[in-house]
Amino acid sequence: MSSDHRQAGTAAIELVVGVALIMVPMAMIVLSFAPLLEARTFVRLASAEMARAIAITDGDELLAYQAIRDMAENNNIDPARIEVALCGGREGALAGAPRSTCVDTNGLLSRGSYVSVFMRVTVDVIPLFADGFSASTGYEHAELVDQYRSVPQS
């Protein structure tokens, strides 16, 4: 018997093993990057929008929180998976109440100060399993409060 006859049909087995052991895990790894990149883009935009909203509304954090909740809803991101820290404060869930850490004792933003927002989002990157594998991405944005703007004094 020649060696050609002993190896007949092994290509089909090698194909199945190759696809199962190499191609499927590689496809899962490649496809898992999309949700993480989407969350990273969301975090960058949302933290910038939140800082800007607080800076131009003179510290109205309720409006900024609502805008970010709307952005999260539009991007199919659960607001409970978003954590926010304002002006160097402690991180807390977006679903919680705003913590006024950016305003001064009068309840206003100081001219020339910075409003900084750190935001973190946790997403499931491989949702095929019961618990899934999750990863988080964060970003911090600082917005300058205009020094020359006219703000009504209370």
Side-chain angles (χ1 to χ4, degrees):
M1 245 180 154
S2 69
S3 64
D4 291 337
H5 291 295
R6 280 185 271 149
Q7 292 186 3
T10 59
I13 294 171
E14 290 173 357
L15 178 67
V16 169
V17 170
V19 167
L21 295 179
I22 297 171
M23 296 301 288
V24 171
M26 289 301 289
M28 287 177 61
I29 289 170
V30 168
L31 293 175
S32 69
F33 285 116
L36 190 59
L37 293 176
E38 182 181 18
R40 190 174 165 102
T41 301
F42 169 78
V43 161
R44 288 181 48 218
L45 291 173
S47 61
E49 286 298 320
M50 188 172 209
R52 200 167 294 120
I54 292 171
I56 65 174
T57 61
D58 205 34
D60 189 356
E61 295 175 9
L62 288 172
L63 180 68
Y65 269 68
Q66 187 57 46
I68 301 308
R69 282 188 201 103
D70 292 343
M71 283 181 72
E73 183 180 310
N74 291 339
N75 286 291
N76 295 325
I77 296 175
D78 184 12
R81 302 192 85 175
I82 301 173
E83 295 177 357
V84 178
L86 298 177
C87 299
R90 205 170 39 96
E91 280 187 48
L94 180 69
R99 296 156 303 282
S100 297
T101 55
C102 297
V103 296
D104 61 9
T105 56
N106 297 329
L108 300 172
L109 294 173
S110 302
R111 291 180 179 172
S113 64
Y114 284 91
V115 174
S116 65
V117 174
F118 176 77
M119 193 174 295
R120 180 188 320 273
V121 176
T122 304
V123 293
D124 292 329
V125 289
I126 303 179
L128 297 177
F129 303 104
D131 293 334
F133 294 110
S134 61
S136 64
T137 181
Y139 187 77
E140 183 171 8
H141 182 82
E143 189 75 25
L144 176 66
V145 178
D146 190 8
Q147 296 182 8
Y148 305 106
R149 68 183 176 152
S150 174
V151 177
Q153 300 297 320
S154 53

